[in-house]
Amino acid sequence: MAACSIEDVLAKVEKDEAEILKNITVHKELELEFDIGNLAAFDKNPADVGLFRKHKKEEFLRSLARDNTQLLINEMWKLPTERVQEAVVAKLPEPHTRLPREKPLPKPRPPTKWEEFAKLKGIPKKKKTNLVWDDVHKEWRRRWGYKRAKDDTKDWLIEVPESADPNEDQFARRLKAKNERVAKNELNRLKNIARGQKVSVQVPPKDQSKAELGKAMQLARISTASVGKFQDKLPKEKPTRTVGKKRSFQPLIGDFNMEKQRQLDLLKVMENKKPRMNVTRAVNRQMREEDAEAARHKKEGRRGGKGGKKKGRGGGGKGRGGPKSRGGPKSKKHHGK
Amino acid sequence: MRPLTDEETKALFEKVSKYIGENIKLLVDRPDGVYCFRLHKDRVYYLSEKLLKLSTNISRDKLISVGTCFGKFTKTMKFRLHVTALDYLAPYAKYKVWVKPGAEQSFLYGNHVLKSGLGRITENTSQYQGVVVYSMADVPLGFGVAAKSTQDCRKLDPMAIVVFHQADIGEYLRSEDTLT
């Protein structure tokens, strides 16, 4: 009895093991291709279409998927493993399937302003060496960058040139010049990018009128955290007269002399603007003179016939004096105008 | 009350110099005292600095008038000269028109001066020139604008207008309420 039971037990265990193995092993005619790096398995076995049609489609597909996944996991268990924080981790190999691009191809960089000009003029690109011989330090140094060959900001002695202010700091001057160059380069770089992207970067326009520049300067001055309160004035900056909505007037009892001077200046400007010679007045004056001449000649003609030269001259003199005396002093005043 | 801005000063000077020309400098720069223009409720007043300092003691709403009112600024910032400025325009006037005694009363009632009422006129007055109107006794009556130049005045018929009326001293009675 016990032997029977033992045999039974052994047989049962064997059967169980076979069952488990059956579950694990999958029989395929063609071996699958594995790309463990991508966790992929490619099954090239032709699907049994008859079986697919006969059985329920869902069941067929599920069993197929199950078999292939089993094979894939069998492959994964063959990989070298390591323990990472109580978990068994398998180290995947490199994937060897070429996947298609996720994003489109990048567009080529648009040419910079210099590149366009060089292309236009036909200037070829000259290859420059990275290292340059520095005579001062007697060694090879790079052309640009950290510890470069010719760095004028690093001179320990600078001679003050003849034409410069003796109190000027030459070191600071060189440093400022370098900073300006760097800023200019950065600006040009950004401009090139902006031109390429056709994005509206806030670069100030080139041709601005005096009023626009003044307005821009005022806005820039108040565009600080404390709204321009601690902003120093430029050397020649004039105080703004009208800022904001509130109109500001001169004080009621201000400097009377200054007020008088301003008014006189205004009058001078107005006088200069007025035209000096009025055409109609000139014409009128000419007409009046001609009338006077005509009247004089008429009188001379009448008197000349009767009396001698003296009388004629006297009559002429009277005639000459006559019409002009009416507007004499007054008209003479306006001749200057 | 406040001083005039540059634009307002320019408008004022342009108007006044139509009547007195460059003699306006004598109003601005006087040898006998410091005089200034001030704006109060759109009206321009001409007053000495002494008077100005005294007038600061009166509040704005209570202050009606200071010194001499030259005129007022309209809503569109045009300057209109009032007859109260005549005392300062008359002595410096460049172009004068004398009116016959008969037409004097007509002018003082606010009518224009016709050729029949014209006594004398300064030589080479151009057309639309600002003129000061006098009676034959050299009493300033008001001011106006010459409708025709002196040349053309000679050839006009008696009913034609020679001077457009702008202000006259009869306004002191007619528009007593509005003048300040």
Side-chain angles (χ1 to χ4, degrees), chain A residues 241 247 249-254 256 259-260 262-264 266-267 270-271 278 281 284 287-288 326-327 330-331 334 337, chain B residues 1-3 5-6 9-10 13-14 17 22 24-25 28-29 34 36-38 49 52-53 56 95 122-124 151 154:
Chain A
R241 288 203 305 166
R247 282 171 74 186
F249 303 110
Q250 301 292 323
L252 180 59
I253 304 181
F256 284 111
E259 195 182 324
K260 188 164 66 176
R262 277 177 77 178
Q263 287 177 346
L264 287 174
L266 192 69
L267 281 173
M270 276 168 60
E271 209 174 317
N278 199 347
R281 283 153 62 89
N284 283 348
M287 276 168 50
R288 199 174 58 243
R326 233 186 329 168
K330 291 207 176 80
S331 61
H334 302 308
K337 280 196 178 175
Chain B
M1 197 155 53
R2 62 165 173 88
T5 63
D6 279 345
T9 322
K10 190 149 171 263
F13 284 172
E14 266 177 20
S17 46
E22 69 261 2
I24 196 171
K25 273 194 221 114
V28 172
D29 191 6
V34 181
C36 54
F37 291 97
R38 288 293 181 264
E49 118 200 52
L52 175 66
K53 287 189 176 153
T56 55
Y95 300 100
T122 27
E123 195 57 61
N124 56 17
Q151 300 289 96
R154 295 200 186 109

Short mmCIF file of all heavy atoms in Angstrom, two decimals, chain A residues 241 247 249-254 256 259-260 262-264 266-267 270-271 278 281 284 287-288 326-327 330-331 334 337, chain B residues 1-3 5-6 9-10 13-14 17 22 24-25 28-29 34 36-38 49 52-53 56 95 122-124 151 154:
data_model
loop_
_atom_site.label_atom_id
_atom_site.label_comp_id
_atom_site.label_asym_id
_atom_site.label_seq_id
_atom_site.Cartn_x
_atom_site.Cartn_y
_atom_site.Cartn_z
N ARG A 241 10.29 117.75 -19.24
CA ARG A 241 9.31 118.76 -18.86
C ARG A 241 7.97 118.14 -18.55
O ARG A 241 7.40 118.37 -17.50
CB ARG A 241 9.19 119.79 -19.98
CG ARG A 241 10.39 120.67 -20.05
CD ARG A 241 10.06 121.96 -20.72
NE ARG A 241 9.47 121.71 -22.01
CZ ARG A 241 8.84 122.63 -22.71
NH1 ARG A 241 8.72 123.84 -22.26
NH2 ARG A 241 8.31 122.35 -23.87
N ARG A 247 0.17 117.89 -16.07
CA ARG A 247 0.94 118.95 -16.71
C ARG A 247 1.68 119.72 -15.64
O ARG A 247 1.14 120.00 -14.58
CB ARG A 247 0.00 119.91 -17.43
CG ARG A 247 -0.50 119.38 -18.75
CD ARG A 247 -1.59 120.26 -19.29
NE ARG A 247 -1.06 121.50 -19.79
CZ ARG A 247 -1.82 122.50 -20.22
NH1 ARG A 247 -3.12 122.40 -20.16
NH2 ARG A 247 -1.30 123.60 -20.68
N PHE A 249 3.66 123.26 -14.70
CA PHE A 249 3.86 124.63 -15.13
C PHE A 249 5.01 125.25 -14.37
O PHE A 249 5.43 124.75 -13.33
CB PHE A 249 2.60 125.45 -14.89
CG PHE A 249 1.39 124.90 -15.57
CD1 PHE A 249 0.38 124.33 -14.85
CD2 PHE A 249 1.29 124.93 -16.95
CE1 PHE A 249 -0.74 123.81 -15.47
CE2 PHE A 249 0.18 124.41 -17.57
CZ PHE A 249 -0.83 123.84 -16.83
N GLN A 250 5.47 126.37 -14.86
CA GLN A 250 6.48 127.13 -14.14
C GLN A 250 5.85 127.65 -12.85
O GLN A 250 4.65 127.83 -12.77
CB GLN A 250 6.94 128.32 -15.00
CG GLN A 250 7.54 127.93 -16.33
CD GLN A 250 8.84 127.21 -16.16
OE1 GLN A 250 9.63 127.54 -15.29
NE2 GLN A 250 9.07 126.20 -16.97
N PRO A 251 6.66 127.92 -11.83
CA PRO A 251 6.09 128.45 -10.59
C PRO A 251 5.50 129.83 -10.82
O PRO A 251 5.95 130.58 -11.70
CB PRO A 251 7.27 128.49 -9.63
CG PRO A 251 8.47 128.42 -10.49
CD PRO A 251 8.09 127.68 -11.71
N LEU A 252 4.53 130.19 -9.97
CA LEU A 252 3.81 131.45 -10.17
C LEU A 252 4.74 132.64 -10.02
O LEU A 252 4.77 133.54 -10.86
CB LEU A 252 2.67 131.52 -9.15
CG LEU A 252 1.81 132.78 -9.22
CD1 LEU A 252 1.18 132.90 -10.58
CD2 LEU A 252 0.74 132.74 -8.16
N ILE A 253 5.52 132.64 -8.95
CA ILE A 253 6.48 133.72 -8.76
C ILE A 253 7.86 133.11 -8.90
O ILE A 253 8.52 132.80 -7.93
CB ILE A 253 6.30 134.38 -7.38
CG1 ILE A 253 4.86 134.86 -7.24
CG2 ILE A 253 7.25 135.56 -7.24
CD1 ILE A 253 4.58 135.54 -5.95
N GLY A 254 8.28 132.90 -10.14
CA GLY A 254 9.58 132.31 -10.36
C GLY A 254 10.61 133.39 -10.59
O GLY A 254 10.49 134.51 -10.13
N PHE A 256 11.89 136.18 -12.42
CA PHE A 256 11.28 137.10 -13.40
C PHE A 256 12.23 137.38 -14.55
O PHE A 256 11.80 137.53 -15.70
CB PHE A 256 10.88 138.41 -12.71
CG PHE A 256 9.64 138.28 -11.89
CD1 PHE A 256 9.70 138.37 -10.51
CD2 PHE A 256 8.42 138.06 -12.49
CE1 PHE A 256 8.56 138.23 -9.75
CE2 PHE A 256 7.28 137.92 -11.74
CZ PHE A 256 7.34 138.01 -10.35
N GLU A 259 12.10 134.59 -16.96
CA GLU A 259 10.84 134.61 -17.70
C GLU A 259 10.91 135.66 -18.80
O GLU A 259 10.54 135.41 -19.95
CB GLU A 259 9.73 134.95 -16.71
CG GLU A 259 8.35 134.66 -17.23
CD GLU A 259 7.30 135.08 -16.21
OE1 GLU A 259 7.56 134.93 -15.01
OE2 GLU A 259 6.25 135.57 -16.65
N LYS A 260 11.42 136.86 -18.43
CA LYS A 260 11.54 137.94 -19.40
C LYS A 260 12.45 137.52 -20.55
O LYS A 260 12.14 137.77 -21.72
CB LYS A 260 12.10 139.17 -18.68
CG LYS A 260 12.09 140.41 -19.54
CD LYS A 260 12.27 141.63 -18.69
CE LYS A 260 13.64 141.66 -18.07
NZ LYS A 260 13.88 142.88 -17.31
N ARG A 262 13.14 134.53 -21.61
CA ARG A 262 12.48 133.53 -22.47
C ARG A 262 11.51 134.19 -23.42
O ARG A 262 11.43 133.84 -24.60
CB ARG A 262 11.73 132.51 -21.60
CG ARG A 262 12.64 131.43 -21.08
CD ARG A 262 11.91 130.50 -20.18
NE ARG A 262 11.09 129.58 -20.92
CZ ARG A 262 10.37 128.61 -20.36
NH1 ARG A 262 10.35 128.49 -19.08
NH2 ARG A 262 9.65 127.81 -21.09
N GLN A 263 10.76 135.15 -22.90
CA GLN A 263 9.78 135.83 -23.76
C GLN A 263 10.49 136.61 -24.86
O GLN A 263 10.05 136.61 -26.02
CB GLN A 263 8.90 136.74 -22.93
CG GLN A 263 7.91 135.95 -22.10
CD GLN A 263 7.08 136.85 -21.21
OE1 GLN A 263 7.40 138.01 -21.02
NE2 GLN A 263 6.01 136.30 -20.68
N LEU A 264 11.59 137.26 -24.50
CA LEU A 264 12.32 138.02 -25.51
C LEU A 264 12.91 137.10 -26.58
O LEU A 264 12.91 137.43 -27.77
CB LEU A 264 13.44 138.83 -24.85
CG LEU A 264 12.97 140.04 -24.05
CD1 LEU A 264 14.13 140.68 -23.32
CD2 LEU A 264 12.30 141.07 -24.93
N LEU A 266 11.68 134.27 -27.45
CA LEU A 266 10.54 133.84 -28.26
C LEU A 266 10.19 134.88 -29.30
O LEU A 266 9.92 134.59 -30.47
CB LEU A 266 9.35 133.57 -27.33
CG LEU A 266 8.16 132.84 -27.93
CD1 LEU A 266 8.53 131.43 -28.24
CD2 LEU A 266 7.00 132.89 -26.99
N LEU A 267 10.22 136.14 -28.88
CA LEU A 267 9.91 137.24 -29.80
C LEU A 267 10.95 137.30 -30.92
O LEU A 267 10.61 137.53 -32.09
CB LEU A 267 9.89 138.57 -29.05
CG LEU A 267 8.63 138.85 -28.25
CD1 LEU A 267 8.82 140.09 -27.42
CD2 LEU A 267 7.44 139.01 -29.17
N MET A 270 10.25 134.63 -33.35
CA MET A 270 9.08 134.96 -34.16
C MET A 270 9.41 135.99 -35.22
O MET A 270 8.95 135.90 -36.36
CB MET A 270 7.97 135.53 -33.26
CG MET A 270 7.14 134.46 -32.61
SD MET A 270 6.08 135.07 -31.33
CE MET A 270 5.09 136.23 -32.20
N GLU A 271 10.23 136.94 -34.84
CA GLU A 271 10.60 137.99 -35.79
C GLU A 271 11.40 137.42 -36.95
O GLU A 271 11.23 137.82 -38.09
CB GLU A 271 11.42 139.04 -35.05
CG GLU A 271 11.28 140.42 -35.63
CD GLU A 271 12.01 141.42 -34.77
OE1 GLU A 271 11.87 141.32 -33.52
OE2 GLU A 271 12.71 142.25 -35.32
N ASN A 278 7.48 142.00 -47.80
CA ASN A 278 6.16 141.58 -48.20
C ASN A 278 5.97 141.96 -49.67
O ASN A 278 6.16 143.12 -50.04
CB ASN A 278 5.12 142.29 -47.32
CG ASN A 278 3.80 141.59 -47.35
OD1 ASN A 278 3.58 140.73 -48.20
ND2 ASN A 278 2.92 141.97 -46.45
N ARG A 281 3.34 144.62 -50.40
CA ARG A 281 3.75 145.96 -49.97
C ARG A 281 4.79 146.53 -50.90
O ARG A 281 4.77 147.71 -51.22
CB ARG A 281 4.31 145.89 -48.54
CG ARG A 281 3.23 145.77 -47.50
CD ARG A 281 3.75 145.08 -46.28
NE ARG A 281 4.83 145.84 -45.68
CZ ARG A 281 4.67 146.78 -44.76
NH1 ARG A 281 3.47 147.06 -44.33
NH2 ARG A 281 5.70 147.43 -44.28
N ASN A 284 3.00 147.67 -53.88
CA ASN A 284 2.28 148.94 -53.61
C ASN A 284 3.23 150.11 -53.60
O ASN A 284 2.93 151.18 -54.14
CB ASN A 284 1.57 148.85 -52.23
CG ASN A 284 0.30 148.01 -52.33
OD1 ASN A 284 -0.15 147.70 -53.42
ND2 ASN A 284 -0.25 147.66 -51.19
N MET A 287 4.20 150.98 -57.04
CA MET A 287 3.10 151.68 -57.72
C MET A 287 3.04 153.13 -57.28
O MET A 287 2.87 154.04 -58.09
CB MET A 287 1.76 150.98 -57.40
CG MET A 287 1.48 149.80 -58.30
SD MET A 287 0.12 148.76 -57.76
CE MET A 287 -1.17 149.91 -57.46
N ARG A 288 3.19 153.32 -55.97
CA ARG A 288 3.12 154.68 -55.43
C ARG A 288 4.24 155.53 -55.99
O ARG A 288 4.04 156.68 -56.38
CB ARG A 288 3.21 154.62 -53.91
CG ARG A 288 2.68 155.89 -53.25
CD ARG A 288 2.62 155.80 -51.76
NE ARG A 288 3.91 155.50 -51.16
CZ ARG A 288 4.16 154.41 -50.49
NH1 ARG A 288 3.22 153.50 -50.32
NH2 ARG A 288 5.35 154.19 -49.99
N ARG A 326 3.23 163.09 -47.45
CA ARG A 326 2.08 162.49 -46.75
C ARG A 326 2.51 161.26 -45.92
O ARG A 326 2.20 161.11 -44.78
CB ARG A 326 1.03 162.09 -47.76
CG ARG A 326 -0.33 162.65 -47.44
CD ARG A 326 -1.37 162.14 -48.35
NE ARG A 326 -0.83 161.85 -49.67
CZ ARG A 326 -1.49 161.18 -50.60
NH1 ARG A 326 -2.71 160.75 -50.36
NH2 ARG A 326 -0.97 160.93 -51.77
N GLY A 327 3.25 160.40 -46.57
CA GLY A 327 3.65 159.18 -45.84
C GLY A 327 5.15 159.14 -45.62
O GLY A 327 5.72 158.09 -45.50
N LYS A 330 6.70 158.01 -42.06
CA LYS A 330 6.18 156.66 -41.76
C LYS A 330 6.65 155.65 -42.78
O LYS A 330 7.04 154.56 -42.43
CB LYS A 330 4.65 156.70 -41.73
CG LYS A 330 4.16 157.48 -40.55
CD LYS A 330 2.77 157.02 -40.13
CE LYS A 330 2.35 157.75 -38.89
NZ LYS A 330 1.84 159.10 -39.18
N SER A 331 6.60 156.07 -44.04
CA SER A 331 6.98 155.08 -45.06
C SER A 331 8.47 154.79 -44.97
O SER A 331 8.90 153.68 -45.17
CB SER A 331 6.61 155.61 -46.44
OG SER A 331 7.32 156.81 -46.69
N HIS A 334 9.28 152.04 -42.74
CA HIS A 334 8.97 150.67 -43.15
C HIS A 334 9.79 150.20 -44.31
O HIS A 334 9.67 149.07 -44.73
CB HIS A 334 7.50 150.56 -43.51
CG HIS A 334 6.61 150.97 -42.39
ND1 HIS A 334 6.75 150.44 -41.15
CD2 HIS A 334 5.64 151.89 -42.32
CE1 HIS A 334 5.87 151.02 -40.35
NE2 HIS A 334 5.18 151.91 -41.04
N LYS A 337 11.81 147.13 -43.58
CA LYS A 337 11.10 145.83 -43.55
C LYS A 337 11.01 145.30 -44.96
O LYS A 337 10.89 144.18 -45.22
CB LYS A 337 9.68 146.01 -43.01
CG LYS A 337 9.65 146.09 -41.52
CD LYS A 337 8.23 145.87 -41.05
CE LYS A 337 8.17 145.89 -39.55
NZ LYS A 337 6.81 145.81 -39.08
N MET B 1 -4.12 130.72 -10.77
CA MET B 1 -3.31 131.61 -11.59
C MET B 1 -1.98 130.91 -11.87
O MET B 1 -1.40 130.32 -10.98
CB MET B 1 -3.04 132.90 -10.81
CG MET B 1 -2.57 134.00 -11.71
SD MET B 1 -2.91 135.64 -11.10
CE MET B 1 -2.24 135.63 -9.50
N ARG B 2 -1.54 131.00 -13.08
CA ARG B 2 -0.25 130.38 -13.41
C ARG B 2 0.39 131.15 -14.55
O ARG B 2 -0.29 131.86 -15.28
CB ARG B 2 -0.47 128.92 -13.81
CG ARG B 2 -1.32 128.71 -15.03
CD ARG B 2 -1.19 127.29 -15.55
NE ARG B 2 -2.12 127.01 -16.62
CZ ARG B 2 -1.88 127.25 -17.89
NH1 ARG B 2 -0.74 127.81 -18.26
NH2 ARG B 2 -2.77 126.96 -18.81
N PRO B 3 1.68 131.00 -14.72
CA PRO B 3 2.31 131.64 -15.88
C PRO B 3 1.88 130.93 -17.15
O PRO B 3 1.40 129.80 -17.12
CB PRO B 3 3.82 131.44 -15.64
CG PRO B 3 3.96 130.88 -14.31
CD PRO B 3 2.66 130.30 -13.90
N THR B 5 2.28 128.94 -20.67
CA THR B 5 3.23 128.01 -21.29
C THR B 5 3.77 128.63 -22.57
O THR B 5 3.29 129.67 -23.02
CB THR B 5 2.56 126.68 -21.63
OG1 THR B 5 1.54 126.93 -22.60
CG2 THR B 5 1.96 126.03 -20.42
N ASP B 6 4.74 127.97 -23.15
CA ASP B 6 5.37 128.52 -24.35
C ASP B 6 4.39 128.68 -25.49
O ASP B 6 4.40 129.70 -26.21
CB ASP B 6 6.53 127.60 -24.80
CG ASP B 6 7.78 127.88 -23.99
OD1 ASP B 6 7.83 128.94 -23.34
OD2 ASP B 6 8.70 127.05 -24.02
N THR B 9 2.11 131.59 -24.73
CA THR B 9 2.84 132.86 -24.91
C THR B 9 2.97 133.20 -26.38
O THR B 9 2.80 134.36 -26.79
CB THR B 9 4.24 132.75 -24.28
OG1 THR B 9 4.17 132.01 -23.09
CG2 THR B 9 4.84 134.10 -24.02
N LYS B 10 3.25 132.17 -27.17
CA LYS B 10 3.42 132.40 -28.60
C LYS B 10 2.13 132.91 -29.22
O LYS B 10 2.12 133.87 -29.99
CB LYS B 10 3.84 131.08 -29.26
CG LYS B 10 4.28 131.23 -30.66
CD LYS B 10 5.35 130.17 -31.01
CE LYS B 10 5.61 130.20 -32.49
NZ LYS B 10 4.89 129.21 -33.24
N PHE B 13 1.56 136.55 -28.14
CA PHE B 13 2.45 137.51 -28.79
C PHE B 13 2.09 137.69 -30.26
O PHE B 13 2.17 138.79 -30.80
CB PHE B 13 3.91 137.06 -28.66
CG PHE B 13 4.47 137.29 -27.30
CD1 PHE B 13 5.71 136.79 -26.96
CD2 PHE B 13 3.78 138.01 -26.34
CE1 PHE B 13 6.26 137.00 -25.71
CE2 PHE B 13 4.30 138.23 -25.08
CZ PHE B 13 5.55 137.72 -24.76
N GLU B 14 1.71 136.59 -30.87
CA GLU B 14 1.35 136.70 -32.29
C GLU B 14 0.15 137.62 -32.47
O GLU B 14 0.12 138.46 -33.38
CB GLU B 14 1.03 135.31 -32.86
CG GLU B 14 2.22 134.67 -33.50
CD GLU B 14 1.94 133.28 -33.99
OE1 GLU B 14 0.76 132.92 -34.17
OE2 GLU B 14 2.92 132.54 -34.17
N SER B 17 1.17 141.30 -31.52
CA SER B 17 2.09 141.94 -32.46
C SER B 17 1.43 142.25 -33.78
O SER B 17 1.95 143.02 -34.57
CB SER B 17 3.34 141.08 -32.69
OG SER B 17 3.00 139.77 -32.89
N GLU B 22 6.74 145.05 -33.41
CA GLU B 22 7.85 144.66 -32.52
C GLU B 22 7.88 145.50 -31.26
O GLU B 22 8.70 145.26 -30.38
CB GLU B 22 9.20 144.78 -33.25
CG GLU B 22 9.63 146.19 -33.56
CD GLU B 22 9.32 146.55 -34.98
OE1 GLU B 22 8.75 145.70 -35.67
OE2 GLU B 22 9.65 147.65 -35.40
N ILE B 24 6.10 145.17 -28.95
CA ILE B 24 5.69 144.30 -27.84
C ILE B 24 6.85 144.08 -26.88
O ILE B 24 6.65 143.78 -25.71
CB ILE B 24 5.13 142.98 -28.41
CG1 ILE B 24 4.37 142.25 -27.35
CG2 ILE B 24 6.23 142.13 -29.00
CD1 ILE B 24 3.63 141.07 -27.84
N LYS B 25 8.05 144.29 -27.39
CA LYS B 25 9.24 144.16 -26.51
C LYS B 25 9.15 145.17 -25.37
O LYS B 25 9.61 144.89 -24.27
CB LYS B 25 10.51 144.45 -27.31
CG LYS B 25 11.04 143.24 -27.98
CD LYS B 25 12.45 143.49 -28.45
CE LYS B 25 12.60 142.89 -29.79
NZ LYS B 25 12.80 143.45 -30.96
N VAL B 28 7.06 143.69 -22.67
CA VAL B 28 7.71 142.60 -21.93
C VAL B 28 8.81 143.15 -21.02
O VAL B 28 8.91 142.81 -19.85
CB VAL B 28 8.29 141.57 -22.93
CG1 VAL B 28 9.14 140.55 -22.22
CG2 VAL B 28 7.18 140.89 -23.70
N ASP B 29 9.60 144.04 -21.61
CA ASP B 29 10.79 144.55 -20.91
C ASP B 29 10.57 146.03 -20.62
O ASP B 29 10.87 146.87 -21.46
CB ASP B 29 11.99 144.31 -21.84
CG ASP B 29 13.30 144.57 -21.14
OD1 ASP B 29 13.28 144.81 -19.92
OD2 ASP B 29 14.33 144.51 -21.84
N VAL B 34 8.86 145.54 -13.21
CA VAL B 34 8.79 144.19 -13.78
C VAL B 34 7.33 143.83 -13.94
O VAL B 34 6.59 143.74 -12.96
CB VAL B 34 9.49 143.19 -12.85
CG1 VAL B 34 9.44 141.81 -13.44
CG2 VAL B 34 10.93 143.61 -12.60
N CYS B 36 4.43 141.18 -15.83
CA CYS B 36 4.37 139.82 -16.36
C CYS B 36 2.95 139.47 -16.76
O CYS B 36 2.01 140.15 -16.36
CB CYS B 36 4.87 138.83 -15.31
SG CYS B 36 4.01 138.98 -13.76
N PHE B 37 2.85 138.40 -17.53
CA PHE B 37 1.54 137.89 -17.94
C PHE B 37 1.21 136.67 -17.11
O PHE B 37 2.05 135.81 -16.90
CB PHE B 37 1.58 137.46 -19.41
CG PHE B 37 1.73 138.59 -20.37
CD1 PHE B 37 2.96 138.93 -20.87
CD2 PHE B 37 0.63 139.33 -20.77
CE1 PHE B 37 3.10 139.98 -21.75
CE2 PHE B 37 0.75 140.38 -21.65
CZ PHE B 37 1.99 140.71 -22.14
N ARG B 38 -0.01 136.61 -16.65
CA ARG B 38 -0.43 135.44 -15.91
C ARG B 38 -1.78 134.98 -16.42
O ARG B 38 -2.59 135.78 -16.88
CB ARG B 38 -0.53 135.73 -14.40
CG ARG B 38 0.82 135.90 -13.72
CD ARG B 38 1.58 134.62 -13.70
NE ARG B 38 2.87 134.71 -13.03
CZ ARG B 38 4.02 134.91 -13.64
NH1 ARG B 38 4.07 135.09 -14.93
NH2 ARG B 38 5.15 134.95 -12.95
N GLU B 49 4.84 142.86 -10.92
CA GLU B 49 5.23 141.77 -10.00
C GLU B 49 4.79 142.09 -8.58
O GLU B 49 4.41 141.20 -7.81
CB GLU B 49 6.74 141.58 -10.10
CG GLU B 49 7.34 141.83 -8.88
CD GLU B 49 8.72 142.14 -8.61
OE1 GLU B 49 9.25 143.06 -9.22
OE2 GLU B 49 9.23 141.47 -7.72
N LEU B 52 1.34 141.07 -8.35
CA LEU B 52 1.27 139.61 -8.38
C LEU B 52 1.49 139.04 -7.01
O LEU B 52 0.78 138.14 -6.55
CB LEU B 52 2.33 139.09 -9.37
CG LEU B 52 2.52 137.60 -9.47
CD1 LEU B 52 1.28 136.95 -10.03
CD2 LEU B 52 3.70 137.26 -10.34
N LYS B 53 2.49 139.58 -6.33
CA LYS B 53 2.80 139.04 -5.00
C LYS B 53 1.65 139.30 -4.03
O LYS B 53 1.35 138.48 -3.18
CB LYS B 53 4.08 139.68 -4.47
CG LYS B 53 5.29 139.16 -5.20
CD LYS B 53 6.58 139.59 -4.58
CE LYS B 53 7.71 138.93 -5.34
NZ LYS B 53 8.95 139.67 -5.29
N THR B 56 -1.36 136.81 -4.55
CA THR B 56 -1.27 135.42 -4.09
C THR B 56 -2.01 135.20 -2.79
O THR B 56 -2.23 134.06 -2.38
CB THR B 56 0.20 135.00 -3.91
OG1 THR B 56 0.82 135.93 -3.03
CG2 THR B 56 0.93 134.99 -5.23
N TYR B 95 -0.27 150.88 -36.97
CA TYR B 95 -1.20 151.33 -38.01
C TYR B 95 -2.44 151.88 -37.35
O TYR B 95 -3.08 151.20 -36.55
CB TYR B 95 -1.55 150.16 -38.94
CG TYR B 95 -0.33 149.61 -39.60
CD1 TYR B 95 0.27 148.46 -39.12
CD2 TYR B 95 0.24 150.27 -40.68
CE1 TYR B 95 1.40 147.97 -39.72
CE2 TYR B 95 1.37 149.77 -41.27
CZ TYR B 95 1.96 148.63 -40.79
OH TYR B 95 3.09 148.14 -41.38
N THR B 122 -3.10 155.36 -41.81
CA THR B 122 -1.65 155.38 -42.01
C THR B 122 -1.30 154.81 -43.37
O THR B 122 -1.94 153.89 -43.86
CB THR B 122 -0.91 154.54 -40.96
OG1 THR B 122 -1.77 153.52 -40.51
CG2 THR B 122 -0.43 155.37 -39.81
N GLU B 123 -0.23 155.38 -43.93
CA GLU B 123 0.21 154.96 -45.25
C GLU B 123 0.69 153.52 -45.21
O GLU B 123 1.13 153.03 -44.16
CB GLU B 123 1.35 155.89 -45.68
CG GLU B 123 1.67 155.84 -47.16
CD GLU B 123 0.48 156.16 -48.02
OE1 GLU B 123 -0.06 157.27 -47.91
OE2 GLU B 123 0.07 155.29 -48.80
N ASN B 124 0.62 152.87 -46.33
CA ASN B 124 0.96 151.44 -46.56
C ASN B 124 0.52 150.50 -45.42
O ASN B 124 1.30 149.72 -44.90
CB ASN B 124 2.43 151.20 -46.92
CG ASN B 124 3.41 151.75 -45.90
OD1 ASN B 124 3.03 152.04 -44.79
ND2 ASN B 124 4.65 151.89 -46.32
N GLN B 151 -3.91 151.67 -50.39
CA GLN B 151 -4.05 151.93 -51.83
C GLN B 151 -5.47 151.69 -52.28
O GLN B 151 -6.08 152.53 -52.97
CB GLN B 151 -3.13 150.98 -52.61
CG GLN B 151 -1.67 151.10 -52.30
CD GLN B 151 -1.12 152.40 -52.83
OE1 GLN B 151 -1.03 153.37 -52.12
NE2 GLN B 151 -0.75 152.38 -54.09
N ARG B 154 -8.43 154.12 -51.37
CA ARG B 154 -8.65 155.36 -52.14
C ARG B 154 -9.69 155.16 -53.24
O ARG B 154 -10.39 156.07 -53.60
CB ARG B 154 -7.34 155.80 -52.79
CG ARG B 154 -6.32 156.18 -51.78
CD ARG B 154 -5.23 157.06 -52.39
NE ARG B 154 -4.21 157.27 -51.39
CZ ARG B 154 -3.00 156.73 -51.43
NH1 ARG B 154 -2.64 155.98 -52.44
NH2 ARG B 154 -2.15 156.95 -50.46
#
